[in-house]
Amino acid sequence: MDYTKLDHYSQVIETILSEYASLSYSYADIQSEVVSDRSRVGAASLKETRYLWMDIGWDGDRRIHGCLVHIDLIDGKIWIQRDGTEEGIAADLERAGIPKEHIVLGFRPPELRPYTGYAVA
């Protein structure tokens, strides 16, 4: 896969996750942030990049620290490893023009992926 397409995919992922993370919680002191990590291959490489949407804070006296969405770019495909959104990040990616055959629902068991309409791997 060419780096122009990988750069586009990276920008789309960061934009979608940043839009979600910018929504504030009305009931608790929780901050959202988007984390990207390119260290798996090298700082300048988009070939394999990890994106996390994290929530950190307090809901009363209960500590909140968790990953709502985890996406990896692996071999030119977008692997959704965890999706805590209501509608699903895959739908957002499709609306942004990412073809279904470049999206893998990694949180689905491999034997069920052929029936999802998305890439199997």
PDB file of all heavy atoms in Angstrom, residues 34-52:
ATOM      1  N   VAL A  34      -6.697  11.165  22.681  1.00  0.00           N
ATOM      2  CA  VAL A  34      -6.335  10.247  21.605  1.00  0.00           C
ATOM      3  C   VAL A  34      -4.831  10.077  21.627  1.00  0.00           C
ATOM      4  O   VAL A  34      -4.090  11.061  21.675  1.00  0.00           O
ATOM      5  CB  VAL A  34      -6.801  10.792  20.236  1.00  0.00           C
ATOM      6  CG1 VAL A  34      -6.344   9.875  19.111  1.00  0.00           C
ATOM      7  CG2 VAL A  34      -8.315  10.961  20.234  1.00  0.00           C
ATOM      8  N   VAL A  35      -4.396   8.834  21.615  1.00  0.00           N
ATOM      9  CA  VAL A  35      -2.970   8.509  21.662  1.00  0.00           C
ATOM     10  C   VAL A  35      -2.617   7.744  20.393  1.00  0.00           C
ATOM     11  O   VAL A  35      -3.322   6.806  20.020  1.00  0.00           O
ATOM     12  CB  VAL A  35      -2.652   7.635  22.901  1.00  0.00           C
ATOM     13  CG1 VAL A  35      -1.175   7.281  22.931  1.00  0.00           C
ATOM     14  CG2 VAL A  35      -3.105   8.313  24.175  1.00  0.00           C
ATOM     15  N   SER A  36      -1.547   8.145  19.722  1.00  0.00           N
ATOM     16  CA  SER A  36      -1.059   7.367  18.579  1.00  0.00           C
ATOM     17  C   SER A  36       0.383   6.957  18.845  1.00  0.00           C
ATOM     18  O   SER A  36       1.130   7.687  19.485  1.00  0.00           O
ATOM     19  CB  SER A  36      -1.163   8.163  17.277  1.00  0.00           C
ATOM     20  OG  SER A  36      -0.355   9.307  17.326  1.00  0.00           O
ATOM     21  N   ASP A  37       0.718   5.771  18.396  1.00  0.00           N
ATOM     22  CA  ASP A  37       2.044   5.217  18.641  1.00  0.00           C
ATOM     23  C   ASP A  37       2.575   4.606  17.357  1.00  0.00           C
ATOM     24  O   ASP A  37       2.015   3.639  16.844  1.00  0.00           O
ATOM     25  CB  ASP A  37       1.960   4.152  19.735  1.00  0.00           C
ATOM     26  CG  ASP A  37       3.295   3.486  20.010  1.00  0.00           C
ATOM     27  OD1 ASP A  37       4.339   4.001  19.562  1.00  0.00           O
ATOM     28  OD2 ASP A  37       3.290   2.435  20.665  1.00  0.00           O
ATOM     29  N   ARG A  38       3.634   5.190  16.852  1.00  0.00           N
ATOM     30  CA  ARG A  38       4.270   4.662  15.648  1.00  0.00           C
ATOM     31  C   ARG A  38       5.558   3.931  15.980  1.00  0.00           C
ATOM     32  O   ARG A  38       6.300   3.554  15.090  1.00  0.00           O
ATOM     33  CB  ARG A  38       4.553   5.791  14.664  1.00  0.00           C
ATOM     34  CG  ARG A  38       3.302   6.410  14.166  1.00  0.00           C
ATOM     35  CD  ARG A  38       3.569   7.491  13.153  1.00  0.00           C
ATOM     36  NE  ARG A  38       2.262   7.999  12.738  1.00  0.00           N
ATOM     37  CZ  ARG A  38       2.060   9.212  12.294  1.00  0.00           C
ATOM     38  NH1 ARG A  38       3.044  10.033  12.147  1.00  0.00           N
ATOM     39  NH2 ARG A  38       0.853   9.595  11.957  1.00  0.00           N
ATOM     40  N   SER A  39       5.822   3.732  17.263  1.00  0.00           N
ATOM     41  CA  SER A  39       7.102   3.142  17.673  1.00  0.00           C
ATOM     42  C   SER A  39       7.210   1.666  17.345  1.00  0.00           C
ATOM     43  O   SER A  39       8.281   1.101  17.415  1.00  0.00           O
ATOM     44  CB  SER A  39       7.327   3.346  19.167  1.00  0.00           C
ATOM     45  OG  SER A  39       6.347   2.666  19.910  1.00  0.00           O
ATOM     46  N   ARG A  40       6.098   1.039  16.972  1.00  0.00           N
ATOM     47  CA  ARG A  40       6.159  -0.380  16.657  1.00  0.00           C
ATOM     48  C   ARG A  40       7.054  -0.628  15.459  1.00  0.00           C
ATOM     49  O   ARG A  40       7.689  -1.653  15.355  1.00  0.00           O
ATOM     50  CB  ARG A  40       4.762  -0.923  16.384  1.00  0.00           C
ATOM     51  CG  ARG A  40       3.897  -0.866  17.626  1.00  0.00           C
ATOM     52  CD  ARG A  40       2.481  -1.243  17.354  1.00  0.00           C
ATOM     53  NE  ARG A  40       2.418  -2.601  16.839  1.00  0.00           N
ATOM     54  CZ  ARG A  40       1.381  -3.089  16.174  1.00  0.00           C
ATOM     55  NH1 ARG A  40       0.354  -2.335  15.946  1.00  0.00           N
ATOM     56  NH2 ARG A  40       1.368  -4.318  15.744  1.00  0.00           N
ATOM     57  N   VAL A  41       7.113   0.296  14.513  1.00  0.00           N
ATOM     58  CA  VAL A  41       7.949   0.129  13.328  1.00  0.00           C
ATOM     59  C   VAL A  41       9.034   1.191  13.272  1.00  0.00           C
ATOM     60  O   VAL A  41      10.153   0.928  12.898  1.00  0.00           O
ATOM     61  CB  VAL A  41       7.097   0.189  12.042  1.00  0.00           C
ATOM     62  CG1 VAL A  41       7.973   0.129  10.818  1.00  0.00           C
ATOM     63  CG2 VAL A  41       6.097  -0.956  12.045  1.00  0.00           C
ATOM     64  N   GLY A  42       8.708   2.380  13.660  1.00  0.00           N
ATOM     65  CA  GLY A  42       9.643   3.491  13.603  1.00  0.00           C
ATOM     66  C   GLY A  42       8.866   4.781  13.627  1.00  0.00           C
ATOM     67  O   GLY A  42       7.736   4.828  13.162  1.00  0.00           O
ATOM     68  N   ALA A  43       9.462   5.802  14.164  1.00  0.00           N
ATOM     69  CA  ALA A  43       8.761   7.064  14.358  1.00  0.00           C
ATOM     70  C   ALA A  43       8.258   7.667  13.060  1.00  0.00           C
ATOM     71  O   ALA A  43       7.264   8.364  13.045  1.00  0.00           O
ATOM     72  CB  ALA A  43       9.663   8.049  15.080  1.00  0.00           C
ATOM     73  N   ALA A  44       8.905   7.424  11.948  1.00  0.00           N
ATOM     74  CA  ALA A  44       8.515   8.047  10.688  1.00  0.00           C
ATOM     75  C   ALA A  44       7.582   7.167   9.868  1.00  0.00           C
ATOM     76  O   ALA A  44       7.126   7.572   8.815  1.00  0.00           O
ATOM     77  CB  ALA A  44       9.754   8.380   9.870  1.00  0.00           C
ATOM     78  N   SER A  45       7.280   5.977  10.320  1.00  0.00           N
ATOM     79  CA  SER A  45       6.504   5.048   9.519  1.00  0.00           C
ATOM     80  C   SER A  45       5.026   5.078   9.870  1.00  0.00           C
ATOM     81  O   SER A  45       4.654   5.094  11.029  1.00  0.00           O
ATOM     82  CB  SER A  45       7.023   3.628   9.705  1.00  0.00           C
ATOM     83  OG  SER A  45       6.218   2.729   8.977  1.00  0.00           O
ATOM     84  N   LEU A  46       4.192   5.059   8.823  1.00  0.00           N
ATOM     85  CA  LEU A  46       2.755   4.937   9.026  1.00  0.00           C
ATOM     86  C   LEU A  46       2.316   3.505   8.808  1.00  0.00           C
ATOM     87  O   LEU A  46       1.156   3.170   9.000  1.00  0.00           O
ATOM     88  CB  LEU A  46       2.009   5.824   8.019  1.00  0.00           C
ATOM     89  CG  LEU A  46       2.094   7.315   8.225  1.00  0.00           C
ATOM     90  CD1 LEU A  46       1.472   8.044   7.041  1.00  0.00           C
ATOM     91  CD2 LEU A  46       1.385   7.708   9.486  1.00  0.00           C
ATOM     92  N   LYS A  47       3.243   2.642   8.410  1.00  0.00           N
ATOM     93  CA  LYS A  47       2.878   1.287   8.019  1.00  0.00           C
ATOM     94  C   LYS A  47       2.165   0.539   9.139  1.00  0.00           C
ATOM     95  O   LYS A  47       1.203  -0.172   8.895  1.00  0.00           O
ATOM     96  CB  LYS A  47       4.126   0.518   7.579  1.00  0.00           C
ATOM     97  CG  LYS A  47       3.819  -0.810   6.967  1.00  0.00           C
ATOM     98  CD  LYS A  47       5.079  -1.459   6.439  1.00  0.00           C
ATOM     99  CE  LYS A  47       4.736  -2.835   5.876  1.00  0.00           C
ATOM    100  NZ  LYS A  47       5.943  -3.540   5.479  1.00  0.00           N
ATOM    101  N   GLU A  48       2.649   0.700  10.355  1.00  0.00           N
ATOM    102  CA  GLU A  48       1.986   0.083  11.504  1.00  0.00           C
ATOM    103  C   GLU A  48       1.898   1.119  12.610  1.00  0.00           C
ATOM    104  O   GLU A  48       2.911   1.472  13.200  1.00  0.00           O
ATOM    105  CB  GLU A  48       2.743  -1.154  11.983  1.00  0.00           C
ATOM    106  CG  GLU A  48       2.683  -2.300  10.996  1.00  0.00           C
ATOM    107  CD  GLU A  48       3.216  -3.589  11.578  1.00  0.00           C
ATOM    108  OE1 GLU A  48       3.329  -3.701  12.803  1.00  0.00           O
ATOM    109  OE2 GLU A  48       3.509  -4.481  10.771  1.00  0.00           O
ATOM    110  N   THR A  49       0.709   1.609  12.831  1.00  0.00           N
ATOM    111  CA  THR A  49       0.482   2.631  13.837  1.00  0.00           C
ATOM    112  C   THR A  49      -0.694   2.215  14.704  1.00  0.00           C
ATOM    113  O   THR A  49      -1.647   1.619  14.220  1.00  0.00           O
ATOM    114  CB  THR A  49       0.177   3.992  13.174  1.00  0.00           C
ATOM    115  OG1 THR A  49       1.217   4.314  12.273  1.00  0.00           O
ATOM    116  CG2 THR A  49       0.068   5.089  14.219  1.00  0.00           C
ATOM    117  N   ARG A  50      -0.611   2.541  15.971  1.00  0.00           N
ATOM    118  CA  ARG A  50      -1.671   2.217  16.928  1.00  0.00           C
ATOM    119  C   ARG A  50      -2.338   3.515  17.377  1.00  0.00           C
ATOM    120  O   ARG A  50      -1.662   4.516  17.636  1.00  0.00           O
ATOM    121  CB  ARG A  50      -1.078   1.495  18.132  1.00  0.00           C
ATOM    122  CG  ARG A  50      -2.061   1.293  19.277  1.00  0.00           C
ATOM    123  CD  ARG A  50      -1.566   0.286  20.264  1.00  0.00           C
ATOM    124  NE  ARG A  50      -1.610  -1.012  19.589  1.00  0.00           N
ATOM    125  CZ  ARG A  50      -0.799  -2.026  19.855  1.00  0.00           C
ATOM    126  NH1 ARG A  50       0.120  -1.915  20.778  1.00  0.00           N
ATOM    127  NH2 ARG A  50      -0.912  -3.158  19.208  1.00  0.00           N
ATOM    128  N   TYR A  51      -3.674   3.487  17.485  1.00  0.00           N
ATOM    129  CA  TYR A  51      -4.461   4.635  17.947  1.00  0.00           C
ATOM    130  C   TYR A  51      -5.356   4.183  19.089  1.00  0.00           C
ATOM    131  O   TYR A  51      -6.028   3.157  18.976  1.00  0.00           O
ATOM    132  CB  TYR A  51      -5.344   5.184  16.817  1.00  0.00           C
ATOM    133  CG  TYR A  51      -4.572   5.565  15.589  1.00  0.00           C
ATOM    134  CD1 TYR A  51      -4.342   4.641  14.579  1.00  0.00           C
ATOM    135  CD2 TYR A  51      -4.056   6.837  15.440  1.00  0.00           C
ATOM    136  CE1 TYR A  51      -3.619   4.977  13.457  1.00  0.00           C
ATOM    137  CE2 TYR A  51      -3.324   7.192  14.319  1.00  0.00           C
ATOM    138  CZ  TYR A  51      -3.110   6.243  13.330  1.00  0.00           C
ATOM    139  OH  TYR A  51      -2.391   6.581  12.223  1.00  0.00           O
ATOM    140  N   LEU A  52      -5.349   4.957  20.154  1.00  0.00           N
ATOM    141  CA  LEU A  52      -6.189   4.658  21.310  1.00  0.00           C
ATOM    142  C   LEU A  52      -6.989   5.896  21.683  1.00  0.00           C
ATOM    143  O   LEU A  52      -6.452   7.004  21.674  1.00  0.00           O
ATOM    144  CB  LEU A  52      -5.342   4.254  22.513  1.00  0.00           C
ATOM    145  CG  LEU A  52      -4.410   3.066  22.349  1.00  0.00           C
ATOM    146  CD1 LEU A  52      -3.517   2.936  23.578  1.00  0.00           C
ATOM    147  CD2 LEU A  52      -5.186   1.792  22.114  1.00  0.00           C
TER     148      LEU A  52
END
